[in-house]
Amino acid sequence: MFLRKSLPRLFACLFLLVPALGSGILAQSTVNKAVGSASAVQDDPDFARAVKEWTTKPEFISPLVDHLPKVSGIPSPKDILGHHIGEPKKLTYYADILKYYRALAAATPRVKVVTIGKSNEGRDLVVVFVGGDESIRNLEAYRGYLAQLADPRTVTDAQANDVIGKAKPIYHLSGGLHSGEVGPSEMLMELAYRLATEDSALIKQIRDTVIVSITPVADPDGRDRNVDWYYKYGINETEGRTTGAGVPYWGKYVFHDDNRDINYSQVEMRALLDWYLQWHPPIMHDLHQAQTLLYTFSGQAPQNPNLDPILYGELPAMANFEMSQMTKYGMPGVWTHGFVDMWSPGYLAFMSSNHNGMVRMYEIQGFSGANTQKMRLGNPNGTGANGVGGAAPAGGGRGAGAPADAAAAVAGRGSQATRDWFRPLPATGEFDWSIRNNTNYGETGVLTALQYTSQFPKIILENFYVKSRNSVATGRKETVAGYVIPAGQRDMTRVERLINLLRLQGIEVGRAAAEVKLSEGTFPAGSFIVKRDQPYSRLAKTLLEKQVYPDANLRTYDDTSWTMGLMSHAEVKEIADKKILDLTVEPIKTAEIHLAGTLTGSGPTIAVAHNGSNNMITLRYRLKDLAIQAAEKEFKQGDVTFPAGSFVIAGDAARVRTEVEKLGLTAVALPSAPQVPLHALDLPRLAIYSIWGNTQEIGWVRYGLDRFEVPYDLIFKERVKKGDLRGSYDLILLPNQGGSGKRLVFDIENRGQPIAYKKSDQFKNLGIYGESDDITGGMGLDGVVEFEKFVKGGGVLVTLGTASYFPAEFGLAPKVDAARTSAQFYAPGPIVNAEILKPEHPIFYGYDKKMVPVRYANGPLLSVQTGVNPFADGPPPPGPPPTPQSVLMRYPGGDDQVLSGLMRGAAEIRNRAAIVDEPSGKGRVIMFAGNPCYRWQNFGEFNMLFNTVLNFNDIKTEAPKPATTDTPAR
Ligand SMILES: [Zn+2]
């Protein structure tokens, strides 16, 4: 007790004694100025009493957070919210969180709130700055200093040294990216108040030397929905009696994948990126909760080799400091190293490392609500087999989707109660865990990180500068000097998107003023040039190169590959010739480029070339009232080739021109219709089916269709069970979901009580995107029968990824078998070759190569029975088995077909079907083993799905055509 009570004073002394270690080759330290005199601010006894009561064991708190100042005129969280942070069974809605920060900002010059955008559902996105009076008054000046350090081409080393002398690091903290991880967004309010009001030596030092910026809730829509769900269901849950169901939606489209949104598709993520590129915080620290009791990220292997080696020293340095400080406070269960790796650049806070800063991350023990719950951990000397890790109750933590499995595999979940070199003081035994414990751990950790930063502010800034400077230098030092993205590619719309995604992340791209001759080839004028002598050259390489996974025995937390050219089916040429750095280019100054389409020629009929652009479907829907046909064979007009699938449009040339130009397509007006077979491009009545228990992958497909302006109904078991699907729909799409046919059919297990997802006056955020009186139980066998009637009656059922188990396992496609890979097989998102076997099939309109790169999605291993009786006596016929007619595309398999990333056991997929088109009754089932609409990423594959939609009733096989063939466009 004596030690704990005297700690704050001890630390105050330490700060006086510790010399300024922050000076380096460039910097002059100002650390010592920070240490102030004894506190004149009174603490709030009510806070200390409450927090002591809510903290379930004395070792679950630190001297940094067991007190809180009470300052007249400055509202504490309790003054606005009515309770202290960490009160059991209390969660705060986003509007109240904003209300608190705005009240705080109104009361003190040390806090400022800036609005950076709107969420999907219209909530304000904000960043809260906290710092000394002077820092906040001069924020613009501090922003300017960081901008100079972020682009070393603007300064000499001597000038940078001056800038570092004046600058302060911005340390960015973010909570609530994952809506079920509720604690950090509560904690950050208390942190902001403490930083603004407390007068201890530590807080004064932080306030004077560091500017703290805060994203209070990264996904505010999901926050409110999860808080509603907690108050409706979670608050009544007790151990052993849970509803077994989480809230069906967080954000509008995704759950955990807002932390895998590598192309910043979601508006909330994009707003933060835009803010980042203006403010350049050298550290971005994302606060999650899924591990016991606090895991601090240190960038373990596999590590992205493009990032500056300095970063790989910085990360464990800070993590180890936190671990040792918190261990000194007696807080068990603080650890590092053994969880998340440093491979994928797609995590949200990774935007910092991608731009020469530092990504940091915690996983703090917590639940999706604010109930106090029992935890049992293994014995410290055992194998850890009894440990339950950071297991959160249903609906919380990382509940949704495959990443949970990957996480468990990486973490070795059972081991968290075991002592190791990276976990010196594990938590063990049985104890209660409260949301205040979560606050104590999170806030102590963050204050410790800020302590480190305030001890070494100049080192942090100097490293930021040197990493940026090194990044510029890589272009001349390293083998890869740049990239050329040639002009004149078949489909420039996907090139345009690729360029815009690079620009979105601040990567400089120029256009070659003249033809470019390099050792790698000659490229036409107008080609896009990415030079590697720029501040974000490392990021450019990371995004554009082929990913070579360093060690097939290492597991990773997310995808192993993301190569943009392969994902987009666009040509990107890696260049070693250093001449690229001296090319004259016209820099793209705008945030986005737009490559306008063209309509040439004259005549009453307009042909639009289908070169694989995803914008073709947008054109069709924008002109939905016009009769549009697809050419079934290639034709030429002048020097323009119109591949099969090209549109033939009669009438309204002015409107067609406008849209063709906007959508970047190539069109020619013809004197008469081409002499090739044509079919009408009717628009299907389209539905997307979703289970209730796993809506994220469906969300990505919804997002893709929304962006390309394809309307659809989102339907659930409620609609299926009503029957007559055929009366309402022509095509039903089942995105990747459930993981198995059984899970797709039976979904969330019913535990005795119906679980409704419905809006009410009290719970306004529920019942959005769909509603149900009971989300449990799935569509059941009655639903399977309705899907069978739909197909037999002429409907088209399209299944993606793991949803393709459903028709195989439930007899909708009886000739198709769906198997699983072995336990040794491991393929976290590699890009592999797929071979098109039926190039004339409308699904492949716009593709001109037999072999195409696709993202491997760990769907079923599909095979189609060939009619050979496997039980017949005698040897099989000689030669390879015939490929069934219904297999449209297959995976050649084998290591040499892996184009980027890791596939361990690549022979297991050899010659397995990638797409199957099985006629059934009057309809058909089209099964994709892969996922042609994965996140906002594999744009080269989207078109296969879009072609399926546009040609749903024009697929010619031995089966009868669906009944609605060639009806007028709807
Ligand atoms: Zn998380």
Side-chain angles (χ1 to χ4, degrees), residues 178 181 288 398:
H178 292 156
E181 303 167 17
H288 294 255
R398 28 190 86 251

Side-chain angles (χ1 to χ4, degrees), residues 177-179 181 250 256 258-260 286-290 361-363 397-398 557:
L177 180 60
H178 292 156
S179 308
E181 303 167 17
W250 283 353
H256 292 89
D258 56 5
N259 203 26
R260 319 271 188 287
D286 205 6
L287 304 170
H288 294 255
Q289 54 181 54
M361 197 264 289
Y362 285 170
E363 297 277 5
R398 28 190 86 251
Y557 201 74

Side-chain angles (χ1 to χ4, degrees), residues 580-656:
I580 191 175
L581 300 173
D582 303 316
L583 286 177
T584 306
V585 299
E586 192 177 324
I588 297 171
K589 296 231 173 68
T590 49
E592 292 197 339
I593 55 158
H594 173 61
L595 305 175
T598 54
L599 171 58
T600 53
S602 63
T605 303
I606 298 166
V608 186
H610 193 340
N611 289 317
S613 172
N614 294 320
N615 293 353
M616 292 296 278
I617 199 165
T618 311
L619 178 71
R620 180 68 192 95
Y621 276 95
R622 285 189 185 174
L623 303 176
K624 61 176 178 289
D625 53 312
L626 298 187
I628 298 185
Q629 293 176 294
E632 295 183 353
K633 296 264 185 283
E634 177 185 301
F635 63 93
K636 286 189 191 319
Q637 176 72 24
D639 54 3
V640 181
T641 300
F642 292 87
S646 293
F647 289 5
V648 176
I649 309 173
D652 215 340
R655 262 179 76 203
V656 178

Side-chain angles (χ1 to χ4, degrees), residues 85 194 317 323 346 373 404 480 575 607 718 737 920 960 968:
I85 299 299
R194 187 184 301 284
M323 189 169 70
Q373 298 191 35
V480 179
I575 303 293
E718 286 72 15
Q737 55 192 299
S920 176

Side-chain angles (χ1 to χ4, degrees), residues 123-144:
R123 293 172 175 85
D124 277 350
L125 304 171
V126 304
V127 169
V128 180
F129 289 93
V130 189
D133 301 31
E134 184 276 335
S135 300
I136 300 301
R137 198 167 51 241
N138 297 311
L139 266 184
E140 275 303 317
Y142 288 110
R143 172 161 79 144

